[in-house]
Amino acid sequence: MTPPLYLGLPMWANLDWQGSLYPPHARTELLRDYAAVFTSVEGNTTFYSGTPNAATVSAWARQTPEAFRFCFKLPAYVTHEQRLNRLDAAWAFLDALTPLHSRLGPTMVQLPRDFGPRELPKLETLLAAWPAHLPCAVEVRHPEFFHKGSAERDLNQLLITFHANRVMLDVRPLFSTPSQGYPGLAHAQQEKPKLPLHVLSTAENPVIRYIGHLDKRINSDYFEPWKKQLSLWINQGKTPFLFVHTADNRHSPALAHHLYQQLAEHTPLPKLPAFAAAKQAPLF
């Protein structure tokens, strides 16, 4: 069954989650334990490492249930190095994921910060040839796409025309305070783009990347409006994807669990399974 909302984190291979999301000494097949709790994952690994080999794709398929959804990113050599000028690598990437096609959520096209309005025709070429049976999402970072002018209107119309989802990057919690007194916050603030949040669904799978603070109260405050918005999309028959980050991602599983519980108080959602470490039976 398709859940009303897919919940995930930016990755699954994080040993900092031993003793919480994962058993204390877990090191292999972490994806299996991850997929026992969360229903999706961003899959940032492909952005940096490129197209996975057949054995890796088979292992990912073996460790996840049919209802799980991967939201891989197009490799950086397609979006950043080649700037969508050569699309053969994009199609080769999607072909390599064929065993997982039934388990693909929106594949994310994360564009460079300087990919602006003049390059929209290249994005149009990509979206026009995108396989119809595979959902797609686009994340832009150029300031012109956030000024509510002609550039943003052209972008949104392009996404609507080709049924592509616009990724909503919510960095408000991350930048809500100075970094002093919060170890790890400074690095995250330097790494993430400080862009306005424009809430807009251009297709059937709204994608939200929620970049949390280290202060739980701040995260809850900024998530409050999302409860109403996510409920609205769900009631409209859309299926949102919510990905939860924290500054160093050590606490992202706990924050995702917390926000999901808050949302479940506002709209009916399946119960989130317990983390693997919490299910470990005592030895004595």
Side-chain angles (χ1 to χ4, degrees):
M1 281 184 66
T2 300
L5 171 138
Y6 286 96
L7 177 70
L9 308 176
M11 67 196 77
W12 68 80
N14 190 334
L15 295 181
D16 287 334
W17 301 337
Q18 290 178 330
S20 58
L21 178 59
Y22 301 138
H25 304 292
R27 288 191 176 274
T28 61
E29 297 203 341
L30 299 178
L31 180 55
R32 190 183 303 279
D33 280 333
Y34 176 95
V37 177
F38 295 103
T39 48
S40 187
V41 68
E42 277 193 16
N44 281 316
T45 179
T46 55
F47 181 79
Y48 300 102
S49 60
T51 302
N53 60 41
T56 298
V57 173
S58 296
W60 291 343
R62 185 182 69 250
Q63 294 179 58
T64 52
E66 191 64 34
F68 189 81
R69 293 292 178 267
F70 292 92
C71 294
F72 295 112
K73 287 184 181 177
L74 276 188
Y77 57 73
V78 175
T79 55
H80 287 57
E81 295 175 25
Q82 299 174 355
R83 300 184 72 90
L84 303 186
N85 284 310
R86 295 178 55 191
L87 298 181
D88 51 334
W91 312 137
F93 173 75
L94 294 178
D95 286 344
L97 297 176
T98 297
L100 288 173
H101 276 193
S102 65
R103 271 172 263 192
L104 290 185
T107 297
M108 289 192 274
V109 182
Q110 181 178 299
L111 297 172
R113 300 186 190 203
D114 61 347
F115 189 102
R118 292 184 180 181
E119 294 186 275
L120 278 182
K122 294 191 288 188
L123 177 60
E124 181 175 3
T125 299
L126 172 76
L127 296 179
W130 194 270
H133 66 290
L134 298 179
C136 176
V138 177
E139 181 177 327
V140 293
R141 296 188 171 187
H142 194 287
E144 284 294 315
F145 294 129
F146 296 87
H147 287 172
K148 298 185 178 181
S150 60
E152 184 167 13
R153 288 194 299 270
D154 290 346
L155 169 68
N156 291 338
Q157 187 57 57
L158 179 63
L159 299 180
I160 292 169
T161 298
F162 292 104
H163 308 287
N165 303 276
R166 180 168 177 172
V167 176
M168 288 159 273
L169 181 67
D170 189 354
V171 296
R172 297 172 304 158
L174 178 66
F175 288 101
S176 63
T177 70
S179 61
Q180 289 83 359
Y182 295 101
L185 198 64
H187 176 73
Q189 289 178 346
Q190 293 169 1
E191 184 181 58
K192 299 297 182 186
K194 190 175 183 180
L195 293 167
L197 173 65
H198 288 188
V199 178
L200 174 70
S201 174
T202 56
E204 297 307 305
N205 298 122
V207 178
I208 301 96
R209 301 180 66 215
Y210 187 86
I211 316 299
H213 197 277
L214 297 175
D215 186 312
K216 185 176 179 179
R217 179 189 56 80
I218 290 174
N219 292 324
S220 295
D221 289 346
Y222 278 98
F223 190 70
E224 187 67 27
W226 279 117
K227 295 192 293 186
K228 181 178 179 180
Q229 184 62 64
L230 288 166
S231 297
L232 175 63
W233 283 330
I234 291 169
N235 290 334
Q236 290 174 342
K238 299 190 177 190
T239 308
F241 282 73
L242 173 62
F243 297 112
V244 179
H245 301 231
T246 55
D248 57 10
N249 282 318
R250 289 174 181 265
H251 305 290
S252 55
L255 177 58
H257 189 279
H258 173 67
L259 298 181
Y260 186 86
Q261 286 182 314
Q262 285 193 325
L263 181 60
E265 295 173 359
H266 199 272
T267 192
L269 293 174
K271 185 177 180 181
L272 199 67
F275 291 176
K279 295 185 289 186
Q280 296 298 299
L283 295 178
F284 302 100

